[in-house]
Each structure stands twice: as structure tokens, then as C-alpha cells.
Amino acid sequence: MPAIQPLPYMPSYADLIEVAYKKERVSGRRMARQLGISEEHGLKKVMEKIAGAQPLHIFIDQRRQEAADAAAKIVTRKQEKANARIAATAMPDPNAWLAWFDGASHPNPGRMGIGGLLKNPQGELVASISFSAGQGDSSEAEYLALLAVLQAAVDASPHKLIVYGDSRVVLDDVQSKTRGAPILSSHRTHARQLMAQLHDVRFIWIPRRKNDVADALSQQAVILPSSYVPP
């Protein structure tokens, strides 16, 4: 006797409403008025058309998974921001040297300026960096600024260094254990070579408003002559 195959799951109106976008619900109501059918059947026809050859219940499951993934990303971003706020407001190691970097590009891509500063544990300014860096985009400008402060730190040879920046792209890339963005690979390689010459380096993301001095130095550098040569 052949096995009895279970009937496919039939989505309810509540299922459709749960995953339908606003414009799809509007289209369903419009179709219901035009065809003289219920809003449930109108929405079902709209969703079936979007799903195409895919069974509607599988399409709904995919929409639910997409929503769950998006919610998880939001939670992760909020946690990252919370961690960054904690790190930014925490008292730094009193024995650590502190560095800030920022890069600007006007327009983007366009003329690049880099800015940065390095302070010793006593709070004394050891290096102030403001150079024009030719043509490029904002990510390249940020990386060149990071290279400049790392080179200044290598020259000063601190026992411990904390580097602050507002570029998540660069901070994530330089710390990534994977290959990272190919377009930034040469800068990443150079940065890690400099980091290898330092005893202890820590990177902390901060919002732009807390990176105002380095930002001002980079904005100032945009109008300077193109004299920067990477260290």
C-alpha cells in the first residue's frame, strides 16, 4: 500500500499579512476591489505572483528568515554601538600612548587629506599630522591617516598604544583575520608591518564627534599642496 503523502501546508491570511510588505498589502486590497474578491484572496494572488514558480509556503518561510536575519543584524549593530560607547568612555590605560586618525576626501573620491595626532602617557602632544595625500576615496584617506599615526608611533616606540578612529571600514579591515577588501590590501599589509614593530596596539572605534581634532587636521589638509609621501 503506497504511503500517504501529507498535504502541503496552506498559508493562512495571518501568514500572508505577517510577511507581506506594505505595497503588497495595498496591491492585494486593490486587486480585491477590482475582481470583487476578498482581501485575503487578493493578497494571496499578489504574493503568488511574486513567489513565481516557488510554492507559497516556502516563499513565506524565506520571508520570515529574511526578517529574522535583519532583526539579528540590528541587535548586533546595537550591541557593537553599546560596546563602542563603553570603550570610548572608559578610562584608557594610564601607561598607554594615545593616537587619533582621520581621513577626508573632497569630493569622494577626490582630493584626500589626512590628519592624526599622537600623545604620550603624560598627555603631551608628540606628533600632529596634517598632509595632503593626492587623489582617492575616503577609505583610502582613512587608511593613509592610520599609516601615518602608526609610523609616528613606531618612531616613538611606545610600550602600549591605543588608536582611536571613526572609520569602521578601516578598523574592521586592519583587524580582520580574513583577507579583507582587495582594494585596500596594500594598505592593510603596510599597516600590519608597522603594527608588528609595536609592542601592544589596541584599536577603538569612536563616533566622529569625538574625533574632532583629527577630523579638523584632515579637513585642513585637503587644501594643502600634494606633498604627502606614504611612510
Side-chain angles (χ1 to χ4, degrees), residues 125-176:
L125 183 63
V126 175
S128 179
I129 299 163
S130 185
F131 296 110
S132 174
Q135 299 290 315
D137 63 21
S138 58
S139 293
E140 184 177 8
E142 293 278 6
Y143 237 128
L144 291 175
L146 174 60
L147 290 174
V149 296
L150 287 175
Q151 182 62 62
V154 168
D155 294 340
S157 190
H159 180 70
K160 183 176 291 187
L161 175 68
I162 298 175
V163 181
Y164 297 96
D166 58 54
S167 171
R168 291 190 183 276
V169 171
V170 169
L171 291 176
D172 288 347
D173 188 79
V174 77
Q175 297 177 90
S176 174

Side-chain angles (χ1 to χ4, degrees), residues 19 33 59 146 172:
V19 302
R33 289 195 299 271
F59 176 73
L146 174 60
D172 288 347

Side-chain angles (χ1 to χ4, degrees), residues 61-130:
D61 287 343
Q62 289 181 345
R63 279 279 180 94
R64 284 175 171 149
Q65 186 60 53
E66 290 171 1
D69 292 343
K73 288 181 180 178
I74 291 173
V75 171
T76 299
R77 285 198 295 269
K78 287 184 177 179
Q79 187 60 54
E80 288 176 348
K81 288 183 179 179
N83 292 340
R85 285 195 296 270
I86 293 171
T89 55
M91 292 296 292
D93 186 328
N95 298 315
W97 289 56
L98 305 181
W100 294 260
F101 73 93
D102 194 34
S105 179
H106 297 297
N108 187 20
R111 189 177 178 86
M112 295 187 296
I114 65 171
L117 56 158
L118 176 68
K119 291 185 177 182
N120 64 21
Q122 290 72 46
E124 299 167 337
L125 183 63
V126 175
S128 179
I129 299 163
S130 185

